[in-house]
Amino acid sequence: MSRTVSGWILKSAKQSVNVIHREKCHYSKCLLTQQQVKWRSPSKSKAVFQKWLCYPVHEINFSGERSFRQISSENDVQFLLSPSQINYILRANELSYKPVEFNGKNPSTVFKFESNQLASNTPCEDRRSAATCLQTNGHFFGVFDGHAGSACAQSVGERLFYYIAVSLMSQKTLEDIEFASEHMKPMLPIFQWHKHKDDHLYREGASLYIDHLRVYWQELINLDNKTGMSVDDAMVYAFQRLDSDISLEAQVPTDNEFLRNLTLQVAFSGATACVSHVDGVHLHIANAGDCRAILGVQNDSGAWSAVPLTADHNAFNKAELQRLHAEHPPSEKDTIVTDNRLLGILMPFRAFGDVLFKWSRELQKSVLQNACDLEPLNIYQYSPSNYHTPPYLSAEPEVTYHKLRPQDKFLIMASDGLWDMLESEQVVKLVANHLSENSLQEPKVSAQKRSLGKMYNLLLKRQSRKIPVPDQNIATHLIRHAIGSNEDGEIEQEKLATMLSLSEDLARMYRDDITVTVVFFNSSAIESYYKENTNS
């Protein structure tokens, strides 16, 4: 990006600060105002935990200034970030994990995962989760894109995996958990969480969350399902049940002011969600909203392709439009979706929370009147036009099943902040090129030949090709290209520095929060599965 173009971005942004240029901003900016009062959690509270839940312990931080945000006017362009500052910002939220194999037996089909996120909002409204289920050895990954605040995405990111896991459990396992809970006995944890050190946690809500999860598994016990639900059913039931609990929690009176404020924030904000469950060669994706999951596939000739595993639930999806119209009277056909938004306001047609699109107006009024002080909560208060037959919004996910093959190399899950900037094919190509340049497979040098001379020659060969040292984390590599590449796919340092230097109000006009998780599959483990099943 030239200095002239950098200046133009700042000038045009400054002149139109009340206009959102990004078409896919979840809420219509002109309809909303948000108080800038910061609401902080108490520094100390009675955080109630059940050890088996294994919630990671980190403090909540509802606000904070991003480092190195330097540009607020056109005259500041000359003070762009240095390469080291750019890398610091881009790599601050990196996360990676490689499953441990036990004596080489039954290696996981997940080789590793790498994740990162870059905020545009303060605080970031996106959330991500990753965990290994210790009851089934399945792997869970989730990307949650919040809107009207981060509260709903935070709550869903903490809780949804548990709802899916207990739905999958057998009758016997659920009864054992209930017995241990009833008699205050220790029990094995459900998940091993893979968290970044700075990931947030609503510790004050843990007791409430556990209570409602327990009610859910008690109901599952009463269903007398010996083997538990299928993964497809478990995901659908879990999504809908958690959304129902979020709604209920906001309606129930409580003397705990902080807890009441928290449940209101969660219910009145919203979040789209994309969750994957990998168990051996069985991959399930549950999606509600406009996060997206694609598969990177390499055929026998080495060519790469992007296989979509989700469909965006918005006005550009004809099936979604038909579903929405079928659920409401013909008289609302012309008002349900206007300007490609639900009731002219919301981009996604499926989401958690967002009770302003689900509750009756009478219920909304009743709940908000019982709240003592709404101003610090940053709750968007508005009344959508043509609001006649709620609910207009659903958290029911679409579930996709895919049986992994040796040619399936990686899974990319990301919030729409990435897909606004890059096409699916571009993203797969970037990951594939990164694999070849900074390959997961080390240079083909045997242990006997891995001398200093050999390694030095390999280094010289790499330097002669003028290949820059790439980001080690592939999610960082994708985010760097999303905000800093030109039309030819090349990184422009000045464009990258400008995009990272914009103040919050300006940054939100040109990019959204971006969250990316890339799961690399173990081709050898997948091949072994097919060999064993062919021979048996």
Side-chain angles (χ1 to χ4, degrees):
M1 175 191 293
S2 67
R3 191 172 300 276
T4 301
V5 175
S6 300
W8 175 83
I9 285 182
L10 296 170
K11 184 176 181 179
S12 64
K14 190 175 181 182
Q15 292 174 343
S16 55
V17 72
N18 292 322
V19 179
I20 291 295
H21 290 284
R22 296 179 56 262
E23 292 183 356
K24 296 190 70 178
C25 178
H26 277 168
Y27 274 88
S28 180
K29 186 72 171 180
C30 62
L31 298 177
L32 305 177
T33 57
Q34 185 177 16
Q35 300 294 329
Q36 296 303 315
V37 182
K38 303 300 180 184
W39 173 53
R40 292 182 179 273
S41 63
S43 58
K44 294 182 180 180
S45 65
K46 295 181 178 179
V48 180
F49 288 93
Q50 296 275 3
K51 286 186 178 181
W52 63 272
L53 282 177
C54 284
Y55 277 119
V57 180
H58 298 296
E59 293 293 339
I60 309 174
N61 180 17
F62 287 94
S63 63
E65 297 298 325
R66 259 187 310 284
S67 301
F68 306 120
R69 274 282 172 86
Q70 299 180 2
I71 294 181
S72 59
S73 69
E74 182 177 0
N75 295 329
D76 291 335
V77 173
Q78 62 267 32
F79 300 109
L80 293 175
L81 302 176
S82 68
S84 62
Q85 289 174 327
I86 290 173
N87 288 337
Y88 180 87
I89 295 172
L90 288 178
R91 296 171 180 172
N93 296 309
E94 289 183 339
L95 174 66
S96 62
Y97 177 77
K98 183 177 180 180
V100 177
E101 295 181 14
F102 298 96
N103 300 322
K105 295 181 180 180
N106 299 321
S108 171
T109 54
V110 173
F111 176 66
K112 69 182 296 186
F113 82 87
E114 296 177 348
S115 181
N116 198 359
Q117 61 182 180
L118 178 69
S120 174
N121 297 285
T122 302
C124 180
E125 294 182 345
D126 281 6
R127 292 294 186 268
R128 59 183 172 177
S129 296
T132 301
C133 185
L134 302 177
Q135 302 292 331
T136 65
N137 295 322
H139 298 276
F140 287 77
F141 304 95
V143 173
F144 312 97
D145 187 350
H147 46 268
S150 61
C152 188
Q154 176 68 39
S155 180
V156 174
E158 290 180 21
R159 306 171 68 183
L160 183 56
F161 287 5
Y162 285 113
Y163 279 69
I164 298 174
V166 298
S167 301
L168 291 170
M169 290 179 185
S170 67
Q171 179 91 4
K172 177 65 166 57
T173 302
L174 291 174
E175 289 173 348
D176 289 344
I177 290 176
E178 174 59 22
F179 180 85
S181 181
E182 178 70 24
H183 296 86
M184 302 183 68
K185 301 284 186 180
M187 64 183 74
L188 293 175
I190 295 178
F191 284 113
Q192 176 189 0
W193 287 93
H194 313 302
K195 289 280 188 180
H196 188 274
K197 62 182 180 63
D198 293 330
D199 283 350
H200 306 298
L201 176 70
Y202 282 166
R203 303 199 320 177
E204 291 78 3
S207 178
L208 175 68
Y209 294 169
I210 293 169
D211 288 344
H212 279 198
L213 180 65
R214 184 181 179 187
V215 171
Y216 180 46
W217 81 54
Q218 288 173 340
E219 293 177 8
L220 292 175
I221 290 174
N222 293 333
L223 291 178
D224 198 27
N225 185 351
K226 299 297 183 183
T227 59
M229 296 183 187
S230 66
V231 178
D232 296 61
D233 289 343
M235 286 181 146
V236 172
Y237 275 86
F239 270 61
Q240 294 179 305
R241 178 53 182 258
L242 176 55
D243 191 53
S244 175
D245 283 353
I246 287 172
S247 175
L248 179 63
E249 288 159 6
Q251 298 175 50
V252 176
T254 174
D255 294 330
N256 185 322
E257 181 180 356
F258 182 84
L259 198 57
R260 180 178 67 251
N261 292 344
L262 174 63
T263 57
L264 286 173
Q265 274 202 322
V266 171
F268 279 85
S269 59
T272 63
C274 183
V275 172
S276 64
H277 178 264
V278 186
D279 186 2
V281 298
H282 305 293
L283 169 63
H284 290 81
I285 306 285
N287 185 56
D290 51 11
C291 293
R292 193 179 300 173
I294 61 173
L295 201 61
V297 179
Q298 186 179 34
N299 64 21
D300 293 339
S301 65
W304 290 89
S305 60
V307 177
L309 296 177
T310 59
D312 295 346
H313 299 131
N314 55 32
F316 305 101
N317 183 332
K318 292 183 178 180
E320 274 298 282
L321 281 172
Q322 292 174 355
R323 177 190 65 81
L324 198 58
H325 287 144
E327 293 175 354
H328 298 274
S331 59
E332 296 186 65
K333 181 179 180 182
D334 297 328
T335 59
I336 291 180
V337 178
T338 58
D339 297 326
N340 293 322
R341 295 174 181 272
L342 183 63
L343 298 178
I345 297 174
L346 191 64
M347 262 317 255
F349 290 175
R350 304 193 194 194
F352 286 89
D354 282 322
V355 294
L356 288 170
F357 297 89
K358 297 173 181 177
W359 290 356
S360 68
R361 282 180 170 165
E362 292 75 20
L363 179 57
Q364 293 179 36
K365 183 178 180 180
S366 173
V367 170
L368 292 176
Q369 282 180 340
N370 290 330
C372 295
D373 185 9
L374 293 177
E375 185 176 354
L377 302 186
N378 292 338
I379 289 178
Y380 290 123
Q381 297 182 58
Y382 54 88
S383 180
S385 301
N386 302 300
Y387 195 81
H388 305 300
T389 57
Y392 290 92
L393 193 66
S394 169
E396 180 179 356
E398 256 189 315
V399 179
T400 302
Y401 170 73
H402 179 83
K403 191 171 185 179
L404 293 173
R405 307 158 299 174
Q407 60 264 40
D408 300 328
K409 302 302 181 183
F410 51 82
L411 170 71
I412 304 167
M413 303 172 63
S415 60
D416 67 341
L418 180 73
W419 310 114
D420 288 349
M421 301 291 194
L422 299 172
E423 298 294 334
S424 298
E425 293 75 13
Q426 290 177 282
V427 173
V428 168
K429 183 179 179 181
L430 284 168
V431 177
N433 290 342
H434 189 273
L435 286 175
S436 63
E437 294 174 3
N438 189 39
S439 181
L440 290 175
Q441 302 91 15
E442 293 183 358
K444 304 293 184 178
V445 180
S446 64
Q448 293 79 9
K449 296 181 179 180
R450 196 175 294 163
S451 64
L452 287 177
K454 289 283 186 182
M455 299 306 295
Y456 179 70
N457 289 333
L458 286 171
L459 179 61
L460 289 178
K461 184 177 180 181
R462 183 180 184 87
Q463 290 177 337
S464 68
R465 294 165 58 196
K466 297 182 179 180
I467 299 176
V469 177
D471 294 304
Q472 295 300 308
N473 187 299
I474 187 60
T476 306
H477 183 66
L478 292 176
I479 293 174
R480 187 186 297 269
H481 275 266
I483 65 173
S485 62
N486 59 24
E487 294 180 356
D488 298 323
E490 299 173 343
I491 295 293
E492 291 188 357
Q493 289 300 317
E494 189 169 353
K495 178 182 179 182
L496 186 60
T498 300
M499 294 293 282
L500 290 174
S501 301
L502 296 172
S503 63
E504 178 188 352
D505 288 342
L506 301 187
R508 191 62 182 86
M509 299 169 69
Y510 291 94
R511 63 177 177 85
D512 197 356
D513 297 330
I514 303 175
T515 298
V516 182
T517 295
V518 181
V519 182
F520 294 98
F521 297 119
N522 187 338
S523 297
S524 298
I526 296 173
E527 289 173 356
S528 297
Y529 168 85
Y530 284 101
K531 288 179 181 178
E532 292 173 3
N533 283 270
T534 299
N535 297 331
S536 58

